[in-house]
Amino acid sequence: MHTDKISKIFLELRAEIRKNWLRLAVSFIGSHAFAFFLFTSHLPENMQDIAYAAALLALAAFYAFVFFFFWNIRPRLWKQFAKLHGWTYEKEKMSVFGRRVDESSALFQIRGFIPPPFVVRGVWKEFPFRAFEYGFYKDHHKEGEFQQLTIFGFSFKGIFPHLYLNSSKNDFDPTIIVERVPLPHEFEKSFRLYAPKKYEMEALQIFTPDILHQLLSSNVYDDIEFVDGEMFIIISEYVWHDLENELKKADHIRSMFVDALNAMRFAPVGDNSPTLRAHE
């Protein structure tokens, strides 16, 4: 019943998007044809400035409409996604996500990151859940290439150290400052596993050869981070246009670890911190 409701609402929303695409196409043709006519017409000299101004105004109106369309469609889809599942869509403030004291994740230690503008919160399979978009400039400057990320966060009742599995199939690497955990030869080219010093055994208890085989056979391109009782599925792009399918994929990954993570009770090793650090 819930799936049918989701499908119906997204079909309606998709129809509305297609209608707007039609408007975009008509606006593009109309505005550019009008501008072309004005620029190429042999008008009296005293009318040329007015014609050029009208042509530029028509083009500016079109691109303003395009900007407005794309600026609004992403939050609308996220809000609809939250509403369908009975979750909340909350605008975020820098004080929540932007300070390292609030988030231990390696993602929020990267210099040049843009704080998430919102977070979707709720309950998934009886445990807290959140999802949000995130990004950062790769060279730490706004002129550089911007890395888009979508994060699904699943909570567990187990206690486990801070771990990070980086997939070589995507173009995202948080540059963790710690030695990598050696993996069996058949996985070395596919994954990079990071764990704090002295917690390599716990990392291999979670990322077993069987789990890594499952990830490979599932064609998973996402990074996975375990931190503060939470599992982050890190997708190296924005997926606002296909949230339901991406949630299903993320839940499939979650299901591979659910028994091990809910049962795990690791103990701190001496004074060694169980938290990773990323390159700043």
Side-chain angles (χ1 to χ4, degrees):
M1 187 73 177
H2 180 64
T3 303
D4 292 341
K5 183 180 178 183
I6 290 175
S7 299
K8 181 181 178 182
I9 293 178
F10 267 93
L11 283 173
E12 292 173 354
L13 192 57
R14 189 175 296 174
E16 183 179 341
I17 293 172
R18 285 176 178 170
K19 188 188 298 182
N20 279 315
W21 274 112
L22 180 60
R23 290 174 182 168
L24 281 174
V26 172
S27 299
F28 176 84
I29 295 171
S31 61
H32 285 71
F34 179 63
F36 179 78
F37 170 76
L38 291 177
F39 278 126
T40 58
S41 296
H42 299 288
L43 298 172
E45 189 172 337
N46 62 339
M47 295 289 293
Q48 287 182 358
D49 289 343
I50 297 175
Y52 293 157
L56 292 174
L57 185 62
L59 294 176
F62 168 74
Y63 288 107
F65 176 65
V66 171
F67 175 80
F68 180 80
F69 172 73
F70 284 105
W71 183 262
N72 283 277
I73 197 65
R74 272 172 54 205
R76 284 191 60 193
L77 285 168
W78 273 102
K79 288 175 183 177
Q80 191 67 55
F81 175 66
K83 182 179 179 180
L84 290 171
H85 290 277
W87 298 333
T88 61
Y89 175 96
E90 306 169 12
K91 289 188 175 180
E92 277 300 331
K93 296 181 179 179
M94 181 105 177
S95 60
V96 176
F97 274 116
R99 301 180 189 276
R100 298 187 181 108
V101 69
D102 297 314
E103 293 284 340
S104 300
S105 168
L107 296 175
F108 295 97
Q109 300 173 34
I110 300 172
R111 190 190 305 171
F113 77 86
I114 304 299
F118 67 87
V119 60
V120 168
R121 298 184 191 275
V123 175
W124 181 261
K125 307 286 177 72
E126 300 181 355
F127 289 97
F129 166 84
R130 59 175 169 162
F132 52 92
E133 290 178 348
Y134 170 81
F136 62 92
Y137 292 95
K138 290 187 176 180
D139 63 354
H140 313 317
H141 299 287
K142 289 187 177 181
E143 294 78 17
E145 183 182 353
F146 188 73
Q147 174 67 61
Q148 301 177 347
L149 299 173
T150 302
I151 317 294
F152 291 109
F154 301 94
S155 295
F156 296 87
K157 62 182 179 183
I159 302 173
F160 38 86
H162 191 175
L163 308 174
Y164 198 102
L165 185 73
N166 179 233
S167 171
S168 61
K169 293 183 180 180
N170 63 44
D171 59 355
F172 172 61
D173 185 350
T175 315
I176 304 294
I177 305 177
V178 70
E179 290 186 9
R180 288 165 54 181
V181 178
L183 292 174
H185 177 71
E186 64 264 37
F187 304 116
E188 287 181 346
K189 293 183 179 180
S190 300
F191 302 108
R192 293 179 288 271
L193 176 59
Y194 301 97
K197 189 176 181 180
K198 302 294 184 181
Y199 294 94
E200 295 87 351
M201 184 179 297
E202 285 82 358
L204 294 174
Q205 287 176 354
I206 294 175
F207 290 102
T208 63
D210 180 57
I211 288 291
L212 294 173
H213 270 300
Q214 289 185 57
L215 291 172
L216 277 179
S217 62
S218 300
N219 291 319
V220 172
Y221 300 158
D222 309 331
D223 283 10
I224 301 172
E225 182 176 20
F226 297 120
V227 57
D228 294 339
E230 191 171 14
M231 175 186 189
F232 282 152
I233 308 296
I234 304 161
I235 306 169
S236 58
E237 61 180 334
Y238 290 157
V239 296
W240 52 268
H241 54 286
D242 200 20
L243 288 168
E244 283 298 324
N245 284 329
E246 292 298 333
L247 175 61
K248 289 178 183 177
K249 293 178 186 177
D251 183 56
H252 176 64
I253 299 173
R254 181 202 67 86
S255 67
M256 298 179 190
F257 297 89
V258 63
D259 292 336
L261 293 183
N262 279 332
M264 193 166 197
R265 297 288 188 277
F266 93 101
V269 181
D271 295 330
N272 294 284
S273 171
T275 303
L276 295 172
R277 289 193 307 117
H279 179 66
E280 301 182 3

